[in-house]
Amino acid sequence: QVQLVESGGKLVQAGDSLRLSCVASGRTYSNPIMGWFRQGPGKEREFVASMLANTNHLKYADSVQGRFAISRDNAKKTLYLQMNRLKVEDTAVYYCAQKYGSEWAFWGQGTTVTVSS
């Protein structure tokens, strides 16, 4: 099993920047696809960004393209999400996830980001 623990969420103001972290532990898989998802109040969980380890193959949701950046420190087994120019609509619980095969099989417990106007 893979354990994922997110951190870094907090209350910020619109326009601020914030960086989320996700530390992986337990069983490791080569070149996993890692990603970030979020679930806003009263909304479905949605994809935010993903990356294939050790590559520059990145994907972003249209709503965060140009504002958010996903990155990874393999030595620290940590995935990051740099969020810039935050908007009120970015308020959500942010989850880190890892793919196994074709499924997003492993999830963290989430970290809450609240953006005030």
Side-chain angles (χ1 to χ4, degrees), residues 10-115:
K10 66 177 183 179
L11 172 64
V12 296
Q13 290 190 325
D16 284 354
S17 296
L18 191 63
R19 188 176 79 162
L20 304 182
S21 301
C22 171
V23 179
S25 62
R27 184 174 181 176
T28 58
Y29 300 93
S30 60
N31 294 331
I33 296 176
M34 303 280 303
W36 289 96
F37 292 75
R38 69 185 182 185
Q39 186 167 16
K43 299 180 181 180
E44 298 281 326
R45 186 168 58 190
E46 64 177 356
F47 168 80
V48 175
S50 67
M51 70 178 299
L52 177 61
N54 302 321
T55 73
N56 290 321
H57 186 69
L58 310 177
K59 289 185 179 180
Y60 294 97
D62 289 343
S63 59
V64 306
Q65 180 76 47
R67 297 189 298 122
F68 290 11
I70 187 172
S71 63
R72 178 185 175 100
D73 184 328
N74 289 326
K76 295 181 178 180
K77 295 184 179 180
T78 301
L79 184 74
Y80 300 102
L81 184 68
Q82 177 66 44
M83 305 185 293
N84 300 321
R85 303 194 306 278
L86 281 161
K87 302 177 181 180
V88 172
E89 50 264 42
D90 293 321
T91 294
V93 178
Y94 284 73
Y95 298 92
C96 170
Q98 180 174 315
K99 267 194 173 181
Y100 181 72
S102 61
E103 300 292 325
W104 290 101
F106 306 107
W107 294 84
Q109 83 291 348
T111 186
T112 301
V113 175
T114 304
V115 185

